[in-house]
Amino acid sequence: GAVVSQHPSWVICKSGTSVKIECRSLDFQATTMFWYRQFPKQSLMLMATSNEGSKATYEQGVEKDKFLINHASLTLSTLTVTSAHPEDSSFYICSARDSSNSGRTSDTQYFGPGTRLTVL
Amino acid sequence: GESVGLHLPTLSVQEGDNSIINCAYSNSASDYFIWYKQESGKGPQFIIDIRSNMDKRQGQRVTVLLNKTVKHLSLQIAATQPGDSAVYFCAENKGNQGGKLIFGQGTELSVKP
């Protein structure tokens, strides 16, 4: 249980195009999902908190107009990198927080497998 | 960002030995701590967690110790195996921050057969 998927697992795009990454909780509901970015040999940096049915909360320094987040259902959040540039190339990881109290600690976040974005 | 490391600390151990990975956290208000394992090209995998009202918690081959006085967390892996080779991150959760996790810089564990 507690599986989070991401799609695509990797994507290559041209500079100036937009890319959408999906994050799904497969066997639980998640009112809150989180988006992280990770550069090689570095830690995970939280970009934003995605809340189902409301606007995302962005961390300081993260451009909300560039990284569009939509949390349309209890099992899906999407991150769209708009007008991508080579410096946006990174490993993007989402996590989902279990909304229920069905035997799992409600604070626990379950991570997706990540999406490798390469912008040419 | 709140936690960025340009160089991952590394720990090299012999197969079968015990491993101890350390982490210093930043906020005395944090009340929940988690250790994650991340293999190359994959997302973090939950290992074990501990709440601030405890100082020790054991799992299968892993033990987490929490010292709130010096804001220090450690992960002990018993009888380390080659499959344990990965980067290990500690993360802290401030209870009133909507579940946000702040990650430490990570430690790369290398297990020699």
Side-chain angles (χ1 to χ4, degrees):
Chain A
V3 178
V4 175
S5 70
Q6 281 184 240
H7 178 81
S9 56
W10 60 270
V11 57
I12 301 173
C13 70
K14 292 181 178 180
S15 186
T17 60
S18 295
V19 174
K20 180 185 284 188
I21 303 170
E22 294 184 348
C23 177
R24 292 180 186 273
S25 56
L26 298 185
D27 55 353
F28 64 99
Q29 294 184 330
T31 54
T32 305
M33 293 183 175
F34 302 89
W35 286 97
Y36 297 82
R37 181 164 56 182
Q38 185 178 34
F39 293 106
K41 296 293 186 182
Q42 293 190 19
S43 187
L44 283 75
M45 288 182 56
L46 180 64
M47 299 174 67
T49 303
S50 172
N51 302 297
E52 187 267 336
S54 65
K55 290 183 179 180
T57 305
Y58 290 82
E59 294 300 300
Q60 190 173 7
V62 178
E63 300 174 59
K64 62 180 180 181
D65 294 330
K66 180 169 183 62
F67 298 99
L68 300 178
I69 292 173
N70 186 352
H71 195 149
S73 77
L74 288 171
T75 59
L76 174 64
S77 175
T78 61
L79 169 69
T80 301
V81 183
T82 63
S83 186
H85 290 283
E87 56 265 32
D88 298 323
S89 298
S90 188
F91 194 51
Y92 291 87
I93 309 171
C94 72
S95 70
R97 189 179 172 197
D98 192 343
S99 303
S100 71
N101 288 314
S102 55
R104 302 188 189 117
T105 304
S106 60
D107 289 332
T108 303
Q109 291 184 28
Y110 300 94
F111 283 81
T115 297
R116 173 75 59 193
L117 171 64
T118 302
V119 184
L120 302 177
Chain B
E2 295 203 38
S3 181
V4 175
L6 294 178
H7 302 283
L8 282 176
T10 58
L11 174 66
S12 183
V13 301
Q14 201 71 36
E15 181 179 0
D17 288 351
N18 296 334
S19 301
I20 299 176
I21 300 171
N22 297 303
C23 177
Y25 63 92
S26 59
N27 194 317
S28 56
S30 294
D31 58 3
Y32 178 56
F33 305 88
I34 313 104
W35 279 100
Y36 288 96
K37 172 186 180 183
Q38 187 180 28
E39 296 175 308
S40 182
K42 297 183 179 180
Q45 176 187 356
F46 174 90
I47 301 174
I48 192 168
D49 58 1
I50 189 168
R51 295 202 172 274
S52 59
N53 60 352
M54 302 173 69
D55 53 20
K56 181 179 180 179
R57 190 160 187 231
Q58 288 184 293
Q60 188 175 15
R61 279 203 307 122
V62 294
T63 301
V64 54
L65 299 178
L66 174 63
N67 186 330
K68 295 181 287 293
T69 303
V70 295
K71 291 188 286 187
H72 184 267
L73 197 66
S74 70
L75 176 70
Q76 300 178 2
I77 304 174
T80 315
Q81 303 168 359
D84 295 326
S85 294
V87 178
Y88 290 81
F89 293 97
C90 68
E92 59 182 300
N93 180 327
K94 303 173 198 177
N96 61 350
Q97 294 283 313
K100 285 167 51 172
L101 289 179
I102 305 302
F103 278 77
Q105 67 175 31
T107 297
E108 184 169 11
L109 175 65
S110 175
V111 182
K112 296 176 289 186

